[in-house]
Amino acid sequence: MTKLPKTAAAAEARYNRLLGHRLALLRSARGLRLAEVAEAVGVGLQLIQRYESGEMAVPFGRLVRLAEALDVPLATVLGDAFEGAGRSEAEAAAVLQIARIAGRLPPAKRTALAAMARELGRP
């Protein structure tokens, strides 16, 4: 097995974190707990935690099952997750925090929050 150069290994670790943040964001936005996703995918809760933290790479087949468990197309999971590679860790953490809050809101408030976010995002 060949080792990756340090720069390639660092990039891979960063991509794992970006994908993990994306998975956590989608899960939180749907109000799902780690245990619920783990059960739907058929793996342990700790493994889902390791994926979401970026500590562990997600095999492609498992990524497909995660998308199904989150009830989103695979393209949504991957979508712009890597186009924003310049996004800071602090920005990613803030987005994840907002998603976690939104996931706990009742549907009517979640809809209102989405409308407000759209308005704030307009130039």
Side-chain angles (χ1 to χ4, degrees):
M1 182 166 86
T2 60
K3 287 190 173 186
L4 292 174
K6 283 187 179 184
T7 55
E12 186 173 321
R14 177 148 174 72
Y15 289 139
N16 287 341
R17 284 191 309 275
L18 286 169
L19 180 59
H21 283 150
R22 183 74 169 185
L23 290 168
L25 176 72
L26 291 166
R27 179 184 55 77
S28 294
R30 280 159 181 70
L32 296 172
R33 295 178 323 203
L34 284 166
E36 293 170 317
V37 174
E39 184 178 331
V41 173
V43 298
L45 178 131
Q46 292 83 10
L47 190 57
I48 300 297
Q49 287 176 319
R50 292 178 78 189
Y51 291 154
E52 288 190 4
S53 71
E55 180 184 337
M56 195 169 173
V58 183
F60 186 75
R62 180 111 359 107
L63 188 59
V64 171
R65 292 200 332 252
L66 280 163
E68 291 169 351
L70 296 169
D71 196 28
V72 296
L74 182 59
T76 298
V77 175
L78 296 175
D80 62 355
F82 302 106
E83 291 173 13
R87 182 179 292 169
S88 74
E89 294 290 325
E91 288 177 42
V95 170
L96 183 55
Q97 182 181 15
I98 292 167
R100 286 184 174 136
I101 292 166
R104 292 189 301 260
L105 294 173
K109 287 185 177 182
R110 195 176 311 153
T111 301
L113 179 62
M116 183 178 73
R118 276 192 298 278
E119 286 300 314
L120 289 172
R122 290 186 185 180

